[in-house]
Amino acid sequence: MHCFLKPSFPTAVLSLFLVSATAPLLARAAKPPAALQVAGRTELPGYSGDFDHFGVDLKGNRLFLAAEDHGTLEVFDLQSGAHKKTVKGVETPHSIVYMPDLNRLLVTDSGPGMTKVLDATTFKVQGSIKLVPGADSVGYDVPRNRLYVVTGGKDVDMKTSVLAEIDPRTGQHHGDVSFDANHVEAMAVEQHGSRLYINVTDQNYVAVVDKDKHAIIARWPIKEAEQNAPVAFDEANHRLFVVTRKPGMLVVLNAMTGESIASFKAPERCDEVVYDAANHRIYVAGGEGYGHGVGERWIQCHGEDRRWSRNDGVGHGELLQQRAETDRAKQRGRRSITALREIGGERLQDAGGAISSF
């Protein structure tokens, strides 16, 4: 798992929202079983302010966290969750791309020093990539080896935003797409096509970008709510999972047409959504101190609505691993954990791997 939320507590809170994408199977069940339970946690005493995103080194058993407000990278043991190291040398880190073949970390940084490349053993800064200030969210096109970086916007006092295309290994800049908007958030990148989908948050629409032409070819309004920010992608079935913040909702779009297929309640203050293709689930990190669980049967029949609270073990200063709870899921329980980890790990590993959005 490479996502963490953005709280304003003395420490941080991670909560999860779950929706199953297997409607026909769940529709036959009399009552959907509880889907997740807390498997472990790591306390981070004394931490205050925002976290941002995770990066994963699967082979090296390391989890990297962009500690945005602390201006550090935090390194954890991926299996145990134990905190291993605090890395300085970054300013305002946001997204992390681990390149295993080069043993390097690329860290988007909205500070004056720009996006940085670090040696992943010594953690010394090897160089920087000069882009428009304000580098934040990223998306990765594996076949083309192109990394897309959101820059500009309100955080650096700009009225416009820019999507930059770079080669993450060389830092070479291959072009930009400009947005007349001061708040552009996460994206989903086709791995087998020419499209990229990106949330234009302050104007409540999804922009469809032609990667070859560096041009916006469609604008799909989000009508159900405001402030669309995270997005996940099921490319095989042409589904976009867009999460809004005002109020918190999960909106499902047809990725071919932009048609809204379904929408329902989700946690607010969300900064990450992940599609788990192996288990056909959506995981949404919310900032309200609880996880909210809904099966797809709920979407169809408006049935049971479930929630995990801090009393269930979701508390301050935690890095959480989740596992399946039913007998069937217990048989693949570790796979469920691995699936979450691999979503992060594979996305980073080929840049490694198959990053679609952060």
Side-chain angles (χ1 to χ4, degrees):
M1 181 185 291
H2 66 279
C3 51
F4 218 86
L5 59 138
K6 306 180 101 180
S8 299
F9 301 116
T11 50
V13 181
L14 177 64
S15 60
L16 290 175
F17 167 78
L18 168 68
V19 54
S20 170
T22 54
L25 294 177
L26 287 178
R28 299 189 194 108
K31 182 179 180 181
L36 299 173
Q37 66 181 19
V38 176
R41 70 185 191 182
T42 299
E43 299 288 344
L44 297 175
Y47 192 98
S48 61
D50 284 1
F51 291 157
D52 219 332
H53 301 289
F54 282 140
V56 177
D57 170 12
L58 286 177
K59 186 176 181 180
N61 191 40
R62 296 181 297 175
L63 180 70
F64 307 107
L65 171 64
E68 179 180 351
D69 281 358
H70 271 199
T72 60
L73 297 182
E74 304 298 331
V75 185
F76 301 87
D77 183 288
L78 182 61
Q79 296 297 321
S80 70
H83 183 254
K84 298 175 65 174
K85 188 178 183 64
T86 294
V87 178
K88 298 183 179 180
V90 293
E91 295 157 299
T92 312
H94 296 285
S95 299
I96 303 169
V97 176
Y98 175 61
M99 296 172 279
D101 55 336
L102 301 177
N103 193 36
R104 292 179 183 172
L105 292 168
L106 185 150
V107 182
T108 62
D109 195 326
S110 59
M114 300 288 184
T115 292
K116 297 172 177 63
V117 178
L118 284 71
D119 182 288
T121 299
T122 66
F123 297 105
K124 292 183 178 180
V125 176
Q126 302 294 302
S128 61
I129 299 176
K130 305 298 182 184
L131 301 171
V132 171
D136 193 342
S137 300
V138 301
Y140 188 57
D141 184 332
V142 176
R144 299 173 71 225
N145 187 37
R146 292 290 184 266
L147 188 71
Y148 296 89
V149 184
V150 173
T151 65
K154 60 184 179 61
D155 289 345
V156 288
D157 297 323
M158 291 179 58
K159 295 181 179 179
T160 59
S161 300
V162 176
L163 180 66
E165 179 186 330
I166 64 171
D167 183 321
R169 287 177 170 77
T170 66
Q172 184 177 355
H173 187 191
H174 288 277
D176 294 324
V177 179
S178 296
F179 296 85
D180 187 17
N182 70 3
H183 190 184
V184 174
E185 279 277 357
M187 72 196 81
V189 182
E190 284 187 343
Q191 303 299 305
H192 305 286
S194 61
R195 289 181 166 191
L196 178 153
Y197 308 89
I198 188 165
N199 278 316
V200 181
T201 305
D202 63 334
Q203 297 180 22
N204 303 312
Y205 71 86
V206 173
V208 184
V209 174
D210 186 306
K211 294 182 291 184
D212 298 324
K213 298 177 180 178
H214 294 120
I216 300 171
I217 58 174
R219 292 175 174 84
W220 295 339
I222 302 298
K223 301 176 181 179
E224 291 84 352
E226 298 178 354
Q227 298 182 12
N228 49 304
V231 60
F233 189 27
D234 175 4
E235 185 169 1
N237 295 298
H238 311 295
R239 294 293 181 262
L240 289 167
F241 305 102
V242 178
V243 181
T244 64
R245 295 173 175 168
K246 187 181 178 182
M249 294 188 71
L250 176 61
V251 181
V252 184
L253 300 181
N254 183 319
M256 301 297 290
T257 65
E259 176 190 2
S260 179
I261 298 169
S263 62
F264 44 94
K265 184 180 178 181
E268 297 189 1
R269 298 177 61 197
C270 174
D271 199 44
E272 183 65 271
V273 56
V274 173
Y275 173 60
D276 176 359
N279 295 299
H280 303 285
R281 291 173 176 162
I282 308 299
Y283 302 94
V284 180
E288 300 151 292
Y290 67 85
H292 195 117
V294 181
E296 189 130 4
R297 179 174 179 270
W298 186 90
I299 301 174
Q300 291 188 335
C301 307
H302 299 283
E304 185 181 12
D305 182 359
R306 292 171 289 126
R307 161 184 302 199
W308 293 273
S309 71
R310 292 189 185 124
N311 295 330
D312 296 320
V314 181
H316 295 286
E318 299 173 353
L319 295 175
L320 299 181
Q321 298 170 345
Q322 305 292 328
R323 70 183 181 192
E325 192 176 55
T326 63
D327 290 339
R328 182 178 64 179
K330 280 180 180 177
Q331 296 175 2
R332 65 184 189 198
R334 291 195 175 276
R335 179 185 166 199
S336 296
I337 298 171
T338 301
L340 283 173
R341 289 173 180 163
E342 286 180 351
I343 288 168
E346 289 177 0
R347 285 177 171 179
L348 301 172
Q349 196 162 356
D350 273 330
I355 304 171
S356 60
S357 67
F358 289 79

